[in-house]
Amino acid sequence: MLQKTGRGLLTLLLLVMEWTRPGLSSPLRPICDLRVLDHFIKEARDAEVAMKSCREGCSLSESVSVPQTTVDFDVWEEKNGLDQAHEVQSGLCLLQQALGLLKTSVTNTALHSHLDNCIRNLLSINAVLRSLNIQEYTPPASAAELEGTWRVSSATDLLQVHVNFLRGKVRLLLMDAQACQQDVS
Amino acid sequence: MICDHLSRLLALHVIFCAMGKASIDQGARNHGKKVSILLREEPENPKCFAQSRKDFTCFWEEDEELSGSLDQYSFTYTYQNENSSRCPLKMLPAAGGKRLFFCHLNQTQMFVQTDIEVHREGRLIHNRSLLIELVFILDPPANVTVSRTAQPLQLNLSWVPPALKYMDDSMIYEVIYTTVGSNVGQVEVVAASSELILRGLQPGQMYKMRVRVKLDGISYNGYWSAWSDPVFMETVPAELDLLIMSLTLIISFILVVLSLTMLLSHRRFVVKKVWPTIPTPDSKFKGLFSVYGGDFQEWLGQTNRGIRLTPAFFYSEECPSPLEVLSELSPRPSLPFPPLPPKAFRALPSVRKEDDDVKTEPEDRELMDRGDPVLSEQRTATPHNLWLIDRIRALNQSQVPCSQSYLLESQDTYVTLSGKNQNIDELDDVLEETLPLEVLFASRKTASYESHSDLGSVPQSSNSSRLSSQSSFEYPNHAWMTKGPGYTYMAVADSGISMDYSTMSRVEDFGKAVIYSNDYKNEIPAFRSPFLPSHHHIDDDG
């Protein structure tokens, strides 16, 4: 009886320690299934459609910087993986800031839920990139302003850029990720 | 040696040229197919499509007469946040007197809003805004092959997807398969896979299969490609499963044996149900069919039995009524009944004449009116009842077959009035038993009744008045019915059922408004049921 109790306590202790283990996390399994990203793209499209049909209380208070969504395949393929990753990560960061600002400007409650979804999805994409062994990258503020960014002043333009960015660069990056390529080949 | 090299080079060159030409031809054919698909599917102008990651084509169609020269047109496209660019145009003739203007780009930017404008002599004629990655149209799947699987009614279809990098997992395919000769095809959609197993096919059938491809619409989108070239494959014919066949045979054999056994054991019941015996009257007429072959008269002549057994048969149609309508005789209330008995004692044929006389009298009165004096007279006229009885007995004794009858066709059955219930009862009893035909009429003075009736129709009084009706005689002489405006007539169909008659009395003739609706019970004893009912018109003058 004592042995049983001891074993139970030990198991419990190990579990707790596992949860509370700080710092280094075990390497995540790479998330190579693009259906995850497809799900995010669909939700971003829903938000864009909802914004288009919104008449009141859905405007951007000031112009924001957003990443360029243009993909020229020749140009894209010439870039190395790291540059591609940096481009995507900085773009995701800009979008997070822009969506946060839009959320404060918008008063429509339905749109609020959409925007919450989008912001949550952007954070999930960061997690997916982490799972693919892509190092986190925080762009310097000045550089982001100059290169590869646009200014948009309307909410619909912002959400359109958001959708196009996810469908284009983010997806291409995930498809090309080395971690996933190794599984295939 | 040099010649060898040269000849080899020449051969290779020719081969490559042929191959190139073939591929060019194929490419041109595909291009032509895409153009026709877009002409059908896309309503906007200019119609644009991308074939690969770098290829982008736009075109529009114009009538030959209305179009101008190529330099009149300009095609400009503008990516978001960039300057516009021009695209060089080409013109190609098309069927039906049309011209196609093409713009082709070898380098494109995707995932970005693109604005396209077409100007003719400075005037904007077409305007469109699109994203290039959303207007893909691909070549149909190549190398479509089909093979049989281990399962008998399945086929394995496989193909090679179009060679587009990054887009393999974004493709969806549509497979259509039909039996050869059928117009209705079944469609299956496959996502991100380049093979499909068709299930549930019919055995021994030749199937035709085709595939087409499209991008799934999440990241990329576009139009359905053209159908691939069809492939054919026959499924294996059905094999009779021996076990199932043998089981089926055994079970059916058992069922047959069981049903036969049941039929044989209950054959009499079954025969009776399937061929029911039709009743014949042979048992009632002994010897009629067997000896006399159905000749009734002969049989009658030969035997007395008919009369004894069923007197009703013979007297039904033919016996005259021994009763007369007393009220018929004259309208005058003074007209007594007493004259009647003497009349009644006359030969029956004369009765007929008398009937005619009576009929010609225009003023037939309603019985009821007459009824009072009549009844009163009746009550006093007990000899009349006695007369009746005598009469009837005489008739019985004579046993006149009545076939020759005096009153054959135009008969009326007469109704006698009798006010004495007890007498009537006696009479009833007597007459009921002995006579085939009786009309017993008993009414009180409040009763109304018909003067003439084919059947004695009697209003039912609360006394034991009762009318046993007899068969109705054929009554062709409708003339007399209409003669007297004062007559009220009633015809009765002798069918052995109770009937309600309402009789209307003539007001003007008698100064009395008497309207009766009487319940009339038409009693026919059972032995009279063979009477033939004949229907008469009810001619109500009232």
Side-chain angles (χ1 to χ4, degrees):
Chain A
M1 166 103 170
L2 204 61
Q3 274 183 342
K4 279 186 190 170
T5 318
R7 271 190 222 144
L9 280 173
L10 184 62
T11 315
L12 187 61
L13 193 62
L14 284 171
L15 280 171
V16 168
M17 278 171 62
E18 182 66 31
W19 286 336
T20 56
R21 191 168 50 174
L24 295 175
S25 53
S26 57
L28 296 168
R29 247 185 356 190
I31 300 171
C32 292
D33 192 351
L34 285 171
R35 284 180 292 183
V36 173
L37 183 62
D38 289 344
H39 179 73
F40 298 155
I41 291 168
K42 284 178 190 170
E43 288 195 336
R45 237 179 10 207
D46 292 342
E48 186 189 356
V49 167
M51 184 60 78
K52 274 184 185 163
S53 58
C54 170
R55 296 282 168 259
E56 283 182 7
C58 41
S59 59
L60 201 57
S61 54
E62 56 181 89
S63 63
V64 288
S65 291
V66 291
Q68 288 182 7
T69 60
T70 313
V71 172
D72 189 332
F73 280 98
D74 290 338
V75 171
W76 178 261
E77 282 170 359
E78 281 173 10
K79 289 182 186 171
N80 60 18
L82 198 63
D83 292 333
Q84 291 174 353
H86 286 179
E87 200 171 328
V88 167
Q89 284 170 316
S90 58
L92 288 171
C93 186
L94 282 174
L95 281 173
Q96 281 172 29
Q97 290 168 6
L99 287 177
L101 190 65
L102 180 61
K103 196 178 157 190
T104 58
S105 318
V106 159
T107 53
N108 193 325
T109 49
L111 279 172
H112 265 262
S113 64
H114 281 292
L115 292 173
D116 281 337
N117 270 346
C118 293
I119 293 167
R120 204 168 38 243
N121 293 341
L122 287 174
L123 295 170
S124 304
I125 293 170
N126 282 329
V128 169
L129 290 177
R130 268 202 307 278
S131 76
L132 299 175
N133 285 330
I134 295 168
Q135 296 297 322
E136 283 193 45
Y137 170 79
T138 314
S142 58
E145 295 285 289
L146 293 171
E147 298 175 12
T149 61
W150 290 330
R151 302 280 310 173
V152 293
S153 51
S154 80
T156 48
D157 287 346
L158 169 59
L159 288 178
Q160 194 180 48
V161 162
H162 172 234
V163 169
N164 291 340
F165 190 70
L166 291 180
R167 289 191 302 123
K169 288 181 179 174
V170 175
R171 197 166 196 277
L172 287 170
L173 183 69
L174 293 179
M175 274 177 69
D176 259 347
Q178 287 293 320
C180 298
Q181 298 297 328
Q182 281 166 10
D183 291 343
V184 171
S185 62
Chain B
M1 191 160 144
I2 297 171
C3 288
D4 285 338
H5 286 310
L6 280 172
S7 61
R8 268 186 223 138
L9 275 171
L10 192 63
L12 281 170
H13 182 71
V14 166
I15 289 166
F16 282 135
C17 281
M19 279 170 62
K21 192 169 182 304
S23 65
I24 286 167
D25 286 343
Q26 182 66 30
R29 264 204 302 274
N30 283 342
H31 192 266
K33 278 187 198 170
K34 287 171 186 171
V35 166
S36 58
I37 288 170
L38 265 147
L39 281 170
R40 202 171 54 228
E41 304 273 335
E42 181 59 63
E44 289 187 49
N45 269 325
K47 302 176 202 310
C48 298
F49 62 94
Q51 298 181 76
S52 67
R53 294 180 300 143
K54 297 174 193 176
D55 193 275
F56 184 61
T57 309
C58 280
F59 69 95
W60 71 95
E61 192 182 38
E62 281 195 22
D63 289 333
E64 207 163 335
E65 302 92 40
L66 303 173
S67 68
S69 63
L70 201 58
D71 49 5
Q72 291 176 0
Y73 298 92
S74 69
F75 187 101
T76 52
Y77 61 98
T78 312
Y79 294 118
Q80 190 174 4
N81 292 348
E82 283 191 19
N83 297 327
S84 61
S85 313
R86 281 191 67 150
C87 173
L89 289 170
K90 274 185 288 185
M91 189 170 69
L92 288 175
K98 307 264 187 189
R99 275 188 189 167
L100 295 173
F101 294 88
F102 281 92
C103 157
H104 184 83
L105 295 177
N106 279 328
Q107 201 167 6
T108 56
Q109 292 185 16
M110 297 200 180
F111 306 104
V112 69
Q113 202 76 20
T114 309
D115 296 321
I116 292 167
E117 289 177 355
V118 179
H119 294 263
R120 180 180 175 178
E121 290 173 336
R123 198 168 39 89
L124 184 70
I125 55 170
H126 297 303
N127 186 13
R128 199 173 163 189
S129 179
L130 51 81
L131 285 102
I132 294 173
E133 76 280 1
L134 300 181
V135 289
F136 269 95
I137 183 163
L138 305 172
D139 290 336
N143 285 358
V144 183
T145 53
V146 61
S147 60
R148 294 207 181 96
T149 63
Q151 300 287 329
L153 300 178
Q154 289 180 5
L155 291 175
N156 188 359
L157 188 69
S158 64
W159 57 87
V160 173
L164 282 177
K165 204 174 164 187
Y166 299 132
M167 296 181 194
D168 287 2
D169 53 350
S170 302
M171 292 183 194
I172 53 173
Y173 305 91
E174 194 175 70
V175 174
I176 187 165
Y177 60 99
T178 71
T179 53
V180 169
S182 161
N183 284 336
V184 179
Q186 280 182 288
V187 171
E188 295 250 4
V189 177
V190 185
S193 168
S194 61
E195 67 173 8
L196 175 69
I197 293 178
L198 302 171
R199 296 170 212 274
L201 304 175
Q202 292 170 14
Q205 292 279 335
M206 177 70 81
Y207 278 91
K208 181 173 95 169
M209 288 150 281
R210 289 188 295 178
V211 192
R212 64 178 180 177
V213 65
K214 179 178 167 310
L215 289 164
D216 62 1
I218 299 172
S219 201
Y220 304 96
N221 206 348
Y223 309 92
W224 280 107
S225 73
W227 289 104
S228 66
D229 292 331
V231 288
F232 298 89
M233 176 64 81
E234 197 173 2
T235 48
V236 293
E239 290 167 5
L240 289 176
D241 197 348
L242 282 176
L243 183 63
I244 291 172
M245 282 286 296
S246 55
L247 279 174
T248 313
L249 279 171
I250 289 168
I251 288 169
S252 52
F253 177 70
I254 290 169
L255 282 172
V256 164
V257 164
L258 274 175
S259 55
L260 275 174
T261 316
M262 270 197 52
L263 272 173
L264 287 171
S265 61
H266 294 93
R267 67 171 169 277
R268 254 183 264 155
F269 175 75
V270 170
V271 165
K272 212 163 81 166
K273 282 294 171 192
V274 174
W275 293 287
T277 53
I278 300 166
T280 60
D282 206 4
S283 56
K284 304 277 189 218
F285 302 88
K286 293 205 171 63
L288 170 60
F289 293 103
S290 53
V291 179
Y292 295 98
D295 191 346
F296 193 65
Q297 286 200 344
E298 269 200 36
W299 178 76
L300 264 185
Q302 296 299 323
T303 64
N304 288 341
R305 285 174 291 180
I307 296 172
R308 248 200 334 272
L309 286 176
T310 55
F313 275 90
F314 306 97
Y315 294 113
S316 61
E317 292 289 341
E318 300 155 358
C319 278
S321 165
L323 304 172
E324 294 177 9
V325 176
L326 301 177
S327 62
E328 176 102 58
L329 293 173
S330 93
R332 294 184 297 281
S334 61
L335 191 69
F337 286 107
L340 185 61
K343 277 190 196 171
F345 278 117
R346 279 197 282 257
L348 284 175
S350 62
V351 170
R352 191 183 195 170
K353 265 195 297 185
E354 194 176 359
D355 292 344
D356 295 331
D357 296 336
V358 171
K359 286 167 205 171
T360 52
E361 287 211 357
E363 310 114 309
D364 201 11
R365 303 287 190 225
E366 185 172 331
L367 286 179
M368 138 98 138
D369 197 28
R370 190 153 298 117
D372 289 343
V374 167
L375 272 176
S376 58
E377 296 213 16
Q378 271 291 22
R379 285 193 197 98
T380 54
T382 11
H384 174 67
N385 295 335
L386 294 175
W387 165 79
L388 268 178
I389 294 168
D390 288 343
R391 193 82 196 97
I392 287 159
R393 277 186 189 144
L395 200 63
N396 244 0
Q397 282 157 12
S398 66
Q399 291 211 351
V400 177
C402 302
S403 48
Q404 44 213 269
S405 211
Y406 8 90
L407 297 181
L408 288 169
E409 304 330 302
S410 61
Q411 306 27 321
D412 321 314
T413 53
Y414 295 99
V415 177
T416 54
L417 307 174
S418 172
K420 285 209 174 159
N421 293 344
Q422 59 275 30
N423 283 345
I424 286 168
D425 289 339
E426 286 170 13
L427 200 59
D428 285 350
D429 294 337
V430 169
L431 295 180
E432 272 297 302
E433 307 307 319
T434 56
L435 269 198
L437 296 178
E438 304 170 357
V439 175
L440 299 177
F441 179 70
S443 66
R444 288 192 294 194
K445 51 189 176 211
T446 57
S448 77
Y449 44 86
E450 303 305 318
S451 57
H452 280 288
S453 56
D454 288 337
L455 291 178
S457 57
V458 182
Q460 190 72 16
S461 66
S462 60
N463 288 341
S464 64
S465 60
R466 166 169 57 106
L467 175 71
S468 41
S469 66
Q470 55 215 335
S471 71
S472 50
F473 296 104
E474 283 307 310
Y475 200 55
N477 299 340
H478 291 287
W480 80 263
M481 285 187 84
T482 56
K483 263 188 198 158
Y487 285 89
T488 56
Y489 305 105
M490 186 166 71
V492 176
D494 186 351
S495 56
I497 56 175
S498 307
M499 290 185 260
D500 277 352
Y501 293 89
S502 59
T503 64
M504 302 295 292
S505 64
R506 293 294 307 267
V507 177
E508 42 278 54
D509 284 341
F510 311 112
K512 288 185 189 176
V514 182
I515 296 173
Y516 291 89
S517 105
N518 300 301
D519 282 342
Y520 157 64
K521 191 163 168 62
N522 188 2
E523 286 179 28
I524 299 178
F527 66 82
R528 289 183 194 148
S529 54
F531 287 2
L532 295 173
S534 52
H535 302 273
H536 301 266
H537 296 295
I538 295 177
D539 195 359
D540 192 1
D541 291 335

